[in-house]
Amino acid sequence: MLRQASRLLARAPILAARARPFSTDLPAAQSADATFTEAWAKVIPNMDPPKTPLSFMQPRPPTPSSIPSKLTVNFVLPYSSELATKEVDMVIVPATTGQMGVLPGHVATIAELKPGVLSVHEGTEVTKYFVSSGFVFIHANSFADIIAVEAVPLDQLDANLVQKGLADFTSKLSSGTTDLEKAEAQIGIDVHSALNSALTG
Amino acid sequence: MASNAAVPFWRAAGMTYITYSNICANLVRNCLKEPYKTEALTREKVHFSISKWTDGKPEKPTIRSDSPED
């Protein structure tokens, strides 16, 4: 009970300190179910209350009042999580609207990704991945969730296969009849030219 | 930001986002260097076990191994 009391007290000043809350600002989520534990304590004061699913979840980190110095990145693929809450200085994501640089304190954004290069900048190291497509969710508390279907480090790509693919799809575009075939050929061209510029650029 | 007016070319051709995304992922996987390429393609293999139902009872299931669409 005392733990929850101190957590609830700690939450209130954060909300009071903010003069005009934005709609994208969210308070820190509670990590224990206060009403349940109070009701339990009334009925069975001698036993500890069982943990509820809420207490197993990590609370959402609050939006700090000053811009944090690092961006926390979660980069996940369907079969593995490449980066899990890694603190970095900047990531550059290939959004459909162009290469987008994300720094700590970036405005909350949802962006769709196009096939392109994702680069993670931490100190002087830069790690680059080629992302096939996906989304990036940037939250107001300087957390960025990047989800992609397929992402490979650039050195795993074979330049010859890329060139061959580009030539194949360019010819398919001119020989395609239905809208769907033309769309597939256009997708092939987009992806392969992005791969090409990733390997040469 | 794109409004209702500008749809992406693949949606205009009748393709859904998931189909588009899967096609992109397959194309990227096909451009990988050798050990990574076979790992990726085996990882993405999908198997279905399908059984038709008649009179409330399932018939013998068939296994279909759908190789990923090109």
Side-chain angles (χ1 to χ4, degrees), chain A residues 79 133 150 155-156 158, chain B residues 17 21 29 31-33 43:
Chain A
Y79 51 87
S133 63
E150 190 66 55
D155 50 15
Q156 293 182 8
D158 184 342
Chain B
Y17 179 79
S21 189
R29 275 179 220 127
C31 288
L32 290 173
K33 282 188 191 154
R43 184 200 331 129

Side-chain angles (χ1 to χ4, degrees), chain A residues 62-138:
Chain A
T63 308
S65 43
S66 67
I67 296 179
S69 60
K70 294 279 208 184
L71 182 70
T72 315
V73 172
N74 294 315
F75 177 28
V76 294
L77 300 172
Y79 51 87
S80 87
S81 90
E82 290 288 324
L83 302 172
T85 56
K86 177 148 189 245
E87 303 220 331
V88 297
D89 296 322
M90 170 170 79
V91 291
I92 301 185
V93 295
T96 43
T97 50
Q99 296 286 106
M100 170 158 65
V102 183
L103 290 158
H106 196 284
V107 65
T109 314
I110 302 182
E112 182 190 338
L113 302 179
K114 65 178 179 207
V117 177
L118 169 81
S119 47
V120 179
H121 298 249
E122 167 61 11
T124 47
E125 335 173 326
V126 178
T127 325
K128 293 193 182 183
Y129 301 88
F130 185 87
V131 164
S132 69
S133 63
F135 288 90
V136 64
F137 299 89
I138 305 167

Side-chain angles (χ1 to χ4, degrees), chain B:
Chain B
M1 290 293 278
S3 61
N4 298 345
V7 284
F9 64 90
W10 38 268
R11 184 156 314 262
M15 203 187 285
T16 62
Y17 179 79
I18 295 196
T19 318
Y20 164 71
S21 189
N22 284 337
I23 292 180
C24 289
N26 275 317
L27 294 173
V28 172
R29 275 179 220 127
N30 284 329
C31 288
L32 290 173
K33 282 188 191 154
E34 228 349 279
Y36 307 113
K37 185 170 177 181
T38 37
E39 279 173 22
L41 294 176
T42 48
R43 184 200 331 129
E44 297 296 326
K45 266 200 192 307
V46 181
H47 302 263
F48 294 93
S49 162
I50 304 180
S51 47
K52 285 202 163 70
W53 287 60
T54 46
D55 294 333
K57 287 195 181 53
E59 294 175 0
K60 187 160 173 12
T62 55
I63 302 204
R64 215 167 16 167
S65 167
D66 237 48
S67 44
E69 294 173 42
D70 280 343

